[in-house]
């Protein structure tokens, strides 16, 4: 968990990723970028709580 900084808890990372998830849902960031961010913190947060829409789903 070298990415974790002093004073930050897994709840902080979860909250930040949920905000980033909303950016993804709003079409502000692409699926691959959001997926990479989730994968970077897979050891800190439960990824089953996040939804990644694929680009083809976004177009529908």
């Amino acid at each position: 968990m070298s990415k974790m900084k002093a004073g930050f808890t897994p709840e902080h990372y979860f909250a930040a990723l949920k905000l980033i998830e909303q950016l993804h849902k709003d079409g502000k960031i692409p699926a691959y970028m959001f997926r990479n961010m989730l994968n970077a913190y897979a050891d800190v947060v439960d990824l089953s709580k996040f939804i990644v829409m694929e680009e083809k789903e976004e177009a529908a």
Side-chain angles (χ1 to χ4, degrees):
M1 290 213 248
S2 62
K3 292 179 197 73
M4 293 187 72
K5 303 290 182 202
F8 286 98
T9 64
E11 290 81 15
H12 288 114
Y13 289 98
F14 181 83
L17 289 169
K18 280 306 227 182
L19 290 172
I20 295 168
E21 178 183 46
Q22 189 59 50
L23 290 173
H24 168 59
K25 288 179 179 179
D26 292 343
K28 304 294 182 187
I29 61 172
Y32 77 89
M33 191 178 294
F34 178 50
R35 195 170 32 250
N36 287 346
M37 288 180 216
L38 288 177
N39 289 337
Y41 293 96
D43 57 337
V44 181
V45 297
D46 178 10
L47 298 185
S48 69
K49 306 293 183 193
F50 296 92
I51 297 172
V52 179
M53 297 182 334
E54 297 298 324
E55 277 78 7
K56 60 186 170 198
E57 294 176 30
E58 293 172 4

